[in-house]
Amino acid sequence: MEEKKTLNSELPAQAAGEFVPSQSAAAKVPAREDTKNQKNGYWKNQWKGIKKYRKLILFLVPAAAFSLIFSYIPMLGILFAFKGPEFNLAAGDVLFNLTHGSWTFQNFANIFVDPKIGLAIGNTLLINIIRLLLCFPLSIIIAVMLSELKSQTLSKTILIILTIPNFLSWVIVIGIWSGFLDPDTGFLGQALADMGAVNIMADNGWFKPLVVFLSAWKGAGWGCILFYSAIVSIDKTYYESATLEGANRLQKTWYLTIPSILPTIALMLVLNISGMMAVGFEQVYTMMKQNTSLIDSQITLDTYLYEISIVKPSDIPFATSLGVLNGLIALVLMLVGNKITSKTLKRGLW
């Protein structure tokens, strides 16, 4: 009898007929409790942070209210893109136009049959592609050249001089260059006229090159600030090691400087690609006003949207649908650009 009791006591609990929960079932209970505790602890910590920094959070209230009133509430106007021909601009009541009339996608279909859309998109893409191929590398080259100067005071002074045009409005910039290129009074215009050149500011063929040139003259210095800051932040011991290995300046630039600033290059490249559908309304519209004969041949999406929505607001739903489509294309370009830079440069926005 004693031997049987001993054997029974040595048997597992399951064999003895007792219920023993499995390890997985036993582990699930504390896991759920831990998850609840983590969630409760997270919200408690958030509430403690709000109470602790409540005075600083009050400073965000005006900015949040400003964004809500002037950025988010006007987004209701996107609904105009889906309104039918019953849209009544003369009513002047936003709620009336939103709540009355039919809903349709015809406005988006009308975009593809508009004769000026193709010209506007072609001009916009052509200008932006040229700017991406020329102006974007120019900013990197300027930043690298400034970083190679031995005197930091001199490099910073040159950088400040190069960024000054960025603080001038496009009206001032175009007015300055119009004076320079005037064939009667401008010294550059007179020199070009003596060589048999035409008036560049009024010539149709020179419009796009002039847009790219002025964009580079005004924005290249400002655009190189991020690249220059990234180059300056590189550890100098890397360059000292490369010098000991016998690398020259060109090799250090190509194999050390450029790879070190690849995250900044990828970020700015994605932002430039996402803005391919916008040339810049202020620059193009001011240049077109210099010569009204350029308006029909050099329209861009920015100027075309302005004409059909502000100057001659004949079809607000169509203008809204064009703006919505433009924004969607910009979003797609940003996603595609981020995918390309992630695959090639191994860097991206996320």
Side-chain angles (χ1 to χ4, degrees), residues 253-291:
T253 300
W254 185 254
Y255 294 105
L256 181 57
T257 303
I258 299 300
S260 298
I261 64 173
L262 271 182
T264 306
I265 294 176
L267 172 64
M268 298 305 297
L269 182 60
V270 172
L271 293 178
N272 278 271
I273 292 176
S274 63
M276 291 289 287
M277 299 302 291
V279 176
F281 171 76
E282 297 88 353
Q283 178 189 6
V284 176
Y285 194 75
T286 307
M287 291 179 64
M288 290 170 64
K289 286 300 181 180
Q290 294 286 323
N291 188 354

Side-chain angles (χ1 to χ4, degrees), residues 25 80 94 110 116 150 156 172 176 178 183 207-208 211 227 229 243 262 265 267 287 297 300 313 315 347-348:
F80 290 155
V94 175
N110 294 337
K116 289 187 176 182
K150 294 183 179 180
K156 291 180 180 179
I172 297 175
I176 292 172
S178 296
F207 183 82
K208 294 181 181 67
V211 170
F227 301 116
S229 301
T243 303
L262 271 182
I265 294 176
L267 172 64
M287 291 179 64
S297 60
T300 62
D315 196 350
R347 296 291 189 276

Side-chain angles (χ1 to χ4, degrees), residues 54-330:
R54 60 184 180 276
K55 294 182 180 179
L56 294 177
I57 294 175
L58 289 176
F59 285 99
L60 298 177
V61 173
F66 184 87
S67 300
L68 178 65
I69 296 172
F70 295 101
S71 297
Y72 286 92
I73 294 178
M75 289 179 67
L76 292 173
I78 295 176
L79 297 175
F80 290 155
F82 304 95
K83 299 302 293 184
E86 300 87 358
F87 180 87
N88 185 13
L89 181 65
D93 189 349
V94 175
L95 294 178
F96 175 83
N97 288 316
L98 286 177
T99 55
H100 292 74
S102 60
W103 298 91
T104 180
F105 288 93
Q106 186 61 36
N107 297 314
F108 292 93
N110 294 337
I111 294 175
F112 300 98
V113 297
D114 191 304
K116 289 187 176 182
I117 289 294
L119 179 62
I121 293 177
N123 290 335
T124 302
L125 291 177
L126 181 59
I127 292 173
N128 280 320
I129 290 173
I130 296 174
R131 287 202 301 197
L132 184 65
L133 296 177
L134 297 180
C135 299
F136 184 74
L138 180 63
S139 299
I140 301 175
I141 293 172
I142 293 174
V144 172
M145 292 175 65
L146 291 176
S147 66
E148 290 294 327
L149 295 177
K150 294 183 179 180
S151 174
Q152 289 190 357
T153 303
L154 178 60
S155 63
K156 291 180 180 179
T157 302
I158 296 175
L159 183 61
I160 291 172
I161 294 173
L162 292 175
T163 55
I164 289 176
N166 181 75
F167 298 100
L168 302 177
S169 67
W170 275 114
V171 176
I172 297 175
V173 170
I174 294 172
I176 292 172
W177 281 97
S178 296
F180 288 161
L181 296 173
D182 190 279
D184 298 325
T185 58
F187 67 95
L188 286 177
Q190 290 178 353
L192 293 173
D194 294 338
M195 292 186 294
V198 297
N199 185 3
I200 294 178
M201 292 297 295
D203 187 68
N204 218 337
W206 279 96
F207 183 82
K208 294 181 181 67
L210 194 60
V211 170
V212 176
F213 170 76
L214 292 180
S215 298
W217 183 83
K218 187 177 186 294
W222 181 261
C224 76
I225 291 179
L226 286 176
F227 301 116
Y228 180 77
S229 301
I231 294 173
V232 171
S233 63
I234 300 174
D235 193 349
K236 301 303 179 185
T237 57
Y238 296 156
Y239 291 97
E240 294 174 0
S241 301
T243 303
L244 293 175
E245 293 293 333
N248 55 34
R249 283 193 172 187
L250 183 59
Q251 291 173 331
K252 287 187 285 187
T253 300
W254 185 254
Y255 294 105
L256 181 57
T257 303
I258 299 300
S260 298
I261 64 173
L262 271 182
T264 306
I265 294 176
L267 172 64
M268 298 305 297
L269 182 60
V270 172
L271 293 178
N272 278 271
I273 292 176
S274 63
M276 291 289 287
M277 299 302 291
V279 176
F281 171 76
E282 297 88 353
Q283 178 189 6
V284 176
Y285 194 75
T286 307
M287 291 179 64
M288 290 170 64
K289 286 300 181 180
Q290 294 286 323
N291 188 354
T292 55
S293 63
L294 302 176
I295 294 178
D296 293 333
S297 60
Q298 302 296 346
I299 60 171
T300 62
L301 283 174
D302 303 310
T303 58
Y304 185 57
L305 272 172
Y306 177 75
E307 289 288 339
I308 64 177
S309 60
I310 304 298
V311 179
K312 299 176 181 178
S314 56
D315 196 350
I316 295 298
F318 175 75
T320 306
S321 62
L322 181 57
V324 171
L325 183 63
N326 193 1
L328 292 176
I329 294 174

